[in-house]
Amino acid sequence: MKNFVKLENSQISFGDCSNCEAHCCKGSFGSIFSQILKDEFENVYENFPILFIFGNLGFIKPVILLSNGFDSCPYLKNNLCSIYNNRPNVCKIYPLSPNIDNKIYLDISCPEISKGKNNLNLESNIFKNYQNKYIKTHLEFEKLELKDFEKILSIKNMNFYKYIGDKKSKYLDFHRLSLLKLKDFIN
């Protein structure tokens, strides 16, 4: 189970992903989904289903499905990513995670934290102005009506939705196209 804490030390040593059995990519240990920003839609829609969840305050949040909660990511082959150069941002920066508070969080459950001599890269563009990018994503979808979403699956008590309304945008087009990948994630 992942355990993210606010990063207090910018000099976190990290081992090597090749020492791990890809726990972060396995549904039983890793993430089932990851929230995405609107600038990620075009890069992920061909490989991952883009779905929507509703936050605690009812806000619509776009996410990509990473696993069915039990099996590994379908792109994990022999504990290696078969789409490594096209993997989503969440995978590129793991075990780090940006947050709306513009802080970086660290998954302390990652087995390679504090091992080895490598330092984690905190300079990724993914972290820069995250709060602003998050707000722009929120504004893109805030006017969509809840009645225009249909629940299409539930994994470990988390409901995922597709948009069925008539609003048009390139992001909703990417969402619709991405639904073709859903079969690869759900058995």
Side-chain angles (χ1 to χ4, degrees):
M1 174 111 358
K2 297 199 179 219
N3 187 11
F4 284 94
V5 298
K6 187 165 49 169
L7 189 63
E8 303 291 346
N9 178 359
S10 63
Q11 297 297 310
I12 300 294
S13 65
F14 185 75
D16 190 322
C17 290
S18 65
N19 296 330
C20 177
E21 295 178 0
H23 284 249
C24 58
C25 302
K26 295 180 178 172
S28 55
F29 298 107
S31 295
I32 297 170
F33 68 94
S34 178
Q35 190 166 335
I36 61 170
L37 301 173
K38 67 183 200 172
D39 63 355
E40 296 175 75
F41 274 58
E42 188 169 3
N43 296 327
V44 299
Y45 85 95
E46 291 180 330
N47 293 316
F48 294 89
I50 299 171
L51 304 173
F52 295 93
I53 62 171
F54 297 99
N56 295 339
L57 300 175
F59 295 130
I60 299 164
K61 297 180 179 184
V63 299
I64 54 171
L65 194 62
L66 298 170
S67 81
N68 64 11
F70 303 99
D71 298 319
S72 298
C73 170
Y75 300 108
L76 185 66
K77 309 290 184 213
N78 299 317
N79 287 334
L80 297 173
C81 180
S82 63
I83 60 163
Y84 187 81
N85 291 330
N86 294 315
R87 69 197 190 281
N89 287 346
V90 64
C91 302
K92 290 176 184 175
I93 59 172
Y94 183 81
L96 300 172
S97 179
N99 196 302
I100 191 170
D101 63 6
N102 269 338
K103 304 288 185 214
I104 298 173
Y105 286 72
L106 172 70
D107 181 4
I108 58 174
S109 71
C110 174
E112 290 301 304
I113 296 295
S114 301
K115 293 182 179 177
K117 297 179 181 173
N118 301 314
N119 281 331
L120 291 170
N121 177 13
L122 304 176
E123 300 303 316
S124 170
N125 282 332
I126 296 166
F127 300 119
K128 290 181 176 40
N129 299 313
Y130 184 81
Q131 184 180 63
N132 190 35
K133 293 183 276 189
Y134 183 97
I135 291 168
K136 285 181 179 180
T137 299
H138 166 74
L139 294 174
E140 180 67 35
F141 299 105
E142 78 169 341
K143 291 192 172 42
L144 298 178
E145 297 184 44
L146 300 180
K147 70 176 181 60
D148 290 331
F149 288 86
E150 177 184 340
K151 182 174 127 181
I152 57 171
L153 71 130
S154 183
I155 301 173
K156 296 186 177 182
N157 297 319
M158 175 60 71
N159 295 324
F160 297 91
Y161 298 83
K162 71 177 181 179
Y163 182 72
I164 58 170
D166 59 4
K167 298 274 193 250
K168 304 284 185 218
S169 80
K170 71 178 183 178
Y171 305 106
L172 291 172
D173 289 344
F174 287 133
H175 156 67
R176 288 180 187 102
L177 288 169
S178 79
L179 294 176
L180 298 172
K181 297 306 294 178
L182 194 56
K183 67 183 179 346
D184 296 340
F185 289 79
I186 304 301
N187 296 336

